[in-house]
Amino acid sequence: MDVELREVHDSDLPVFYRQLNDPEALHMAAFTPKDPADRDAFDAHWKRIRSSGDVLRTILADGDVVGSTAVYGEPGEREVTYWVDRAYWGRGIATAALRGLLTEVPERPLYARAAADNEGSLRVLHKCGFRVTARARGFANARGEEIDEFVLHLEG
Ligand SMILES: CC(C)(COP(=O)(O)OP(=O)(O)OC[C@H]1O[C@@H](n2cnc3c(N)ncnc32)[C@H](O)[C@@H]1OP(=O)(O)O)[C@@H](O)C(=O)NCCC(=O)NCCS
């Protein structure tokens, strides 16, 4: 598939909201908003990050909006994240999107976090050059309990 990144448009937000509320995706990502169905909180979050210094991109596959990816956080501690619509999983989209984002954003180091059992996300990160540097525990809203997570690091 032809994977491209572009700036986020207002019309993408309802698509992201639907993608966020997929139960299987939520379970996989684990570290998710407290109440992903809270549309006001979702809108407030996107309003805040769209006016911040975060780099936010919509992922297009063959021209369709299939997810989002971002570099966010404070300088020196910036993290990557991504989310792909379940209907498009397993086609190399997250890997291509993260590679594109890393080309657009040259700053290093960059960080990432993933639930220790999120094999898909860990594979995407590994393929893009991230390496596990630490193991931590954190409360995962989508699991309702503390779980293990990996902290990963991409050097220049
Ligand atoms: C994780 C996620 C982004 C992967 O997206 P994707 O477009 O399917 O990923 P890719 O197709 O680029 O897959 C990359 C690799 O991961 C593997 N992979 C993908 N999902 C997997 C899974 N559930 N279990 C094991 N491996 C998986 C693929 O086989 C591929 O490996 P390969 O190249 O060796 O064959 C997607 O499942 C998702 O959005 N999940 C919900 C949100 C989330 O977890 N975001 C990350 C938060 S840290």
Side-chain angles (χ1 to χ4, degrees), residues 28-29 82-84 89-92 94-95 113 118 120-121 123 127:
M28 191 174 177
Y82 37 79
W83 197 286
V84 171
W89 286 1
R91 301 192 209 176
T95 306
R113 289 172 174 270
N118 190 344
S121 185
R123 182 83 187 119
K127 288 175 78 176

